[in-house]
Amino acid sequence: MKKKPRVAIQGIKASFHEEAAYKFFGKEIETIECNSFKQTCDKLENNEADFVIMAIENSIAGSLLPNYTLIREYNFAVTGEVYLPIQLHLLALPGVKFEDVKVATSHPIAIRQCVDFFDDFPQITVIEGNDTAACAKKIKDEQLKDTVAIANSLAAELYGLNILERRIESNKKNFTRFLILEQNKNEQEKPINKASICFQVGNHVGALSKVLQIFAELNVNLTKIQSMPVLGKRNEYYFYVDMEWKEMENYDTAIRRALKYTVNFNIMGEYLKNDKV
């Protein structure tokens, strides 16, 4: 019997992390629930999980900066990516009507993405929770008849809640990008056309520009650049870069040339581009 992949997620079942895991791996997985992103990394490092799926950026909230540091410090391999549309609904116990609602609860980021909706209903008190799905579960467990959760349809299905209002998010084109992490940089069986790298450059005029020019000359498209300060060192930064290419030879050449102008260069992962939302 084929063993189900063990996927560590931040949050509980029916969270957006599990929804993203389903989208990437299919539903035949064993979900390892974790209280924090660091705990997901510990599970992978201790062989209690085969993969971590980790949110890295949201089209509204921006990058999750601490997660870049986690990936680098644990030295995990980025082996895939998945984009998930973030669709937020109001979930309540069966029989509860909208006029009964006094409290709405969810993760702070989810709440921020629905401020326009709640501006129209000042009688509803909005309270922050630690996880969208956990807020839905609490409504079921405690039978809260005056409270709604802001969560996804997966949470409604799992915890037996009704959807009172659909798609209350302010931006209907909101999505989150997740990375797939593994312990080792295994040889990819499928073709690769995207990479995530990290490096530092010297603190002098044109240092970063020189590296970026190398990729431009070889038609390697840089899809994201994120800088992070080096802890305890003034004016020193890590640069995290995502890139795509059409010709593998161009990418290989660009990497070799860039090595001459960088320090602490690390290819965090090479994988197949997967930007379908």
Side-chain angles (χ1 to χ4, degrees):
M1 190 173 179
K2 189 176 180 182
K3 184 181 175 183
K4 292 182 179 179
R6 301 170 300 168
V7 183
I9 66 168
Q10 188 273 324
I12 68 171
K13 291 186 70 65
S15 66
F16 282 107
H17 273 81
E18 185 177 56
E19 187 177 353
Y22 284 163
K23 186 174 181 180
F24 188 85
F25 294 100
K27 290 201 171 184
E28 292 300 311
I29 63 173
E30 179 185 346
T31 301
I32 310 295
E33 300 175 341
C34 299
N35 294 324
S36 66
F37 288 114
K38 185 180 185 304
Q39 190 179 19
T40 66
C41 293
D42 290 337
K43 293 287 186 184
L44 183 57
E45 187 175 56
N46 296 329
N47 294 313
E48 297 174 37
D50 304 309
F51 304 91
V52 165
I53 187 160
M54 179 180 286
I56 201 67
E57 63 181 302
N58 176 266
S59 57
I60 295 176
S63 296
L64 282 76
L65 299 180
N67 289 355
Y68 282 97
T69 302
L70 281 174
I71 297 169
R72 179 178 52 79
E73 290 183 345
Y74 278 84
N75 198 30
F76 291 146
V78 180
T79 58
E81 64 177 351
V82 60
Y83 286 77
L84 183 71
I86 303 302
Q87 299 180 355
L88 297 165
H89 315 299
L90 280 189
L91 311 185
L93 289 171
V96 171
K97 297 179 181 178
F98 189 81
E99 52 264 32
D100 302 326
V101 175
K102 298 177 181 177
V103 176
T105 180
S106 193
H107 188 279
I109 291 179
I111 290 171
R112 286 205 301 272
Q113 293 169 358
C114 302
V115 289
D116 292 342
F117 178 85
F118 288 104
D119 281 347
D120 294 332
F121 301 99
Q123 74 275 19
I124 299 176
T125 301
V126 182
I127 298 176
E128 294 184 355
N130 60 359
D131 182 75
T132 55
C135 291
K137 185 175 185 294
K138 183 178 180 180
I139 289 174
K140 177 195 175 186
D141 292 345
E142 300 181 15
Q143 291 292 294
L144 303 176
K145 296 184 178 179
D146 64 349
T147 303
V148 290
I150 306 167
N152 58 14
S153 57
L154 195 62
E157 181 182 339
L158 182 62
Y159 301 117
L161 302 178
N162 285 348
I163 298 178
L164 287 187
E165 295 283 340
R166 291 184 179 272
R167 303 297 305 275
I168 67 167
E169 69 274 10
S170 301
N171 189 324
K172 306 304 181 187
K173 295 182 179 180
N174 182 17
F175 63 86
T176 297
R177 179 185 176 221
F178 298 79
L179 297 179
I180 312 302
L181 309 178
E182 296 184 53
Q183 279 255 36
N184 302 308
K185 295 180 173 70
N186 299 321
E187 288 296 324
Q188 293 280 350
E189 295 179 2
K190 47 189 174 183
I192 58 173
N193 57 10
K194 190 167 184 177
S196 296
I197 67 172
C198 176
F199 59 84
Q200 292 175 257
V201 295
N203 183 22
H204 57 267
V205 175
L208 178 60
S209 175
K210 178 65 178 177
V211 177
L212 302 184
Q213 186 62 31
I214 290 170
F215 291 108
E217 290 172 353
L218 287 158
N219 293 317
V220 176
N221 183 32
L222 306 187
T223 58
K224 181 173 184 179
I225 302 175
Q226 180 72 56
S227 65
M228 287 275 289
V230 178
L231 192 61
K233 295 187 177 182
R234 191 165 62 93
N235 295 328
E236 291 190 27
Y237 294 86
Y238 288 108
F239 293 96
Y240 297 86
V241 179
D242 292 333
M243 58 188 63
E244 302 170 1
W245 61 87
K246 293 182 179 179
E247 299 293 335
M248 188 69 185
E249 184 179 350
N250 287 10
Y251 164 71
D252 289 337
T253 302
I255 293 295
R256 286 197 304 271
R257 292 185 185 176
L259 283 169
K260 300 175 184 177
Y261 301 96
T262 60
V263 293
N264 295 328
F265 190 98
N266 179 22
I267 298 177
M268 300 168 68
E270 299 171 334
Y271 47 96
L272 188 63
K273 173 183 172 182
N274 179 23
D275 59 0
K276 294 180 179 178
V277 178

